[in-house]
């Protein structure tokens, strides 16, 4: 599975942004796609995921209400909508794929940079 994240950029605080994760290759083995972010000098953080077949989503409490994940099965694309952006959302955002429930995310995209100005 190959993943390509895109859609990052410079956004003002309070704005919105939608990131895309295009999957290709053996996409039929995907169980879920997760979104992660890593801010400068910080550890990578999980910000949500979507189970590929059902479309059900899951988020950590830290982003609930501002982050929304969806998918376009026909395009094999996962989307991450971020609303009410804050400067602390500045990070490189990555998407990753897991092939079964409870498994690690084995396939990773290259990341897209989101910079939120205050």
């Amino acid at each position: 599975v190959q993943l390509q994240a895109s859609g990052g950029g410079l956004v003002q605080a309070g704005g919105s942004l939608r990131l895309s994760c295009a999957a290709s290759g053996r996409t039929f083995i995907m169980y879920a796609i997760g979104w992660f972010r890593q801010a400068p000098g910080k550890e990578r953080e999980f910000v949500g995921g979507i189970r590929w077949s059902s479309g059900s989503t899951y988020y950590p409490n830290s982003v609930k209400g501002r982050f929304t994940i969806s998918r376009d099965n026909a395009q094999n694309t996962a989307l991450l909508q971020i609303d009410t952006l804050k400067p602390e959302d500045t990070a490189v955002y990555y998407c990753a794929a897991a092939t079964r429930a409870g498994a690690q995310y084995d396939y990773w995209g290259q990341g897209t940079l989101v910079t939120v100005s205050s």
Side-chain angles (χ1 to χ4, degrees):
V1 177
Q2 293 81 47
L3 301 171
Q4 177 90 20
S6 62
L10 176 62
V11 186
Q12 284 192 330
S16 297
L17 199 63
R18 189 174 74 170
L19 307 181
S20 297
C21 175
S24 60
R26 301 175 67 212
T27 58
F28 59 89
I29 68 173
M30 296 192 308
Y31 171 78
I33 284 186
W35 284 95
F36 298 77
R37 68 183 179 186
Q38 187 163 22
K42 294 189 176 181
E43 292 188 354
R44 188 172 61 199
E45 176 188 14
F46 174 75
V47 297
I50 185 165
R51 297 176 183 86
W52 202 245
S53 61
S54 67
S56 61
T57 55
Y58 42 101
Y59 307 92
N61 288 335
S62 58
V63 304
K64 278 183 180 178
R66 292 198 304 121
F67 286 38
T68 305
I69 297 173
S70 59
R71 73 183 184 339
D72 181 339
N73 275 12
Q75 298 294 325
N76 282 329
T77 298
L79 304 169
L80 173 62
Q81 174 80 23
I82 310 174
D83 296 318
T84 319
L85 279 156
K86 305 174 182 180
E88 51 264 43
D89 292 322
T90 295
V92 177
Y93 284 73
Y94 299 88
C95 58
T99 57
R100 62 185 187 279
Q104 292 183 357
Y105 289 89
D106 290 325
Y107 302 90
W108 290 80
Q110 87 291 356
T112 186
L113 176 62
V114 173
T115 304
V116 183
S117 62
S118 56

